[in-house]
């Protein structure tokens, strides 16, 4: 899931973007921020018992705002 944040309703470009995935029913894994993979992706994936390769594959599914 990618979230685009806007400062107000008239903005046409988001000022922040966040991409995350739900792991299980309640765990959230932050995949990336503003078009870049999370620097803690491997650590956070391990903490959720998710293979790093699977987490990296999820990063490719993030839908960043076109530059």
């Amino acid at each position: 899931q990618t979230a685009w944040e806007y400062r107000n309703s008239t903005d046409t470009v988001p000022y922040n973007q966040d991409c995350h995935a739900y792991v299980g029913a309640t765990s959230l894994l932050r995949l990336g921020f503003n078009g870049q993979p999370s620097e803690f992706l491997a650590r956070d994936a391990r903490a959720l018992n998710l293979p790093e390769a699977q987490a990296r594959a999820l990063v490719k599914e993030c839908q960043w705002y076109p530059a």
Side-chain angles (χ1 to χ4, degrees):
Q1 187 173 50
T2 306
W4 296 351
E5 297 177 56
Y6 297 86
R7 293 191 196 281
N8 59 57
S9 62
T10 60
D11 283 353
T12 57
V13 176
Y15 74 96
N16 269 335
Q17 301 177 74
D18 181 62
C19 185
H20 54 272
Y22 290 96
V23 179
T26 59
S27 298
L28 187 73
L29 175 63
R30 188 172 196 188
L31 300 171
F33 186 73
N34 287 336
Q36 300 297 316
S38 170
E39 64 180 297
F40 304 110
L41 183 64
R43 179 201 68 189
D44 294 346
R46 274 193 308 274
L48 296 172
N49 295 315
L50 185 72
E52 182 180 350
Q54 188 174 357
R56 296 216 176 270
L58 288 170
V59 170
K60 294 178 183 176
E61 300 300 319
C62 294
Q63 297 178 4
W64 304 114
Y65 190 87

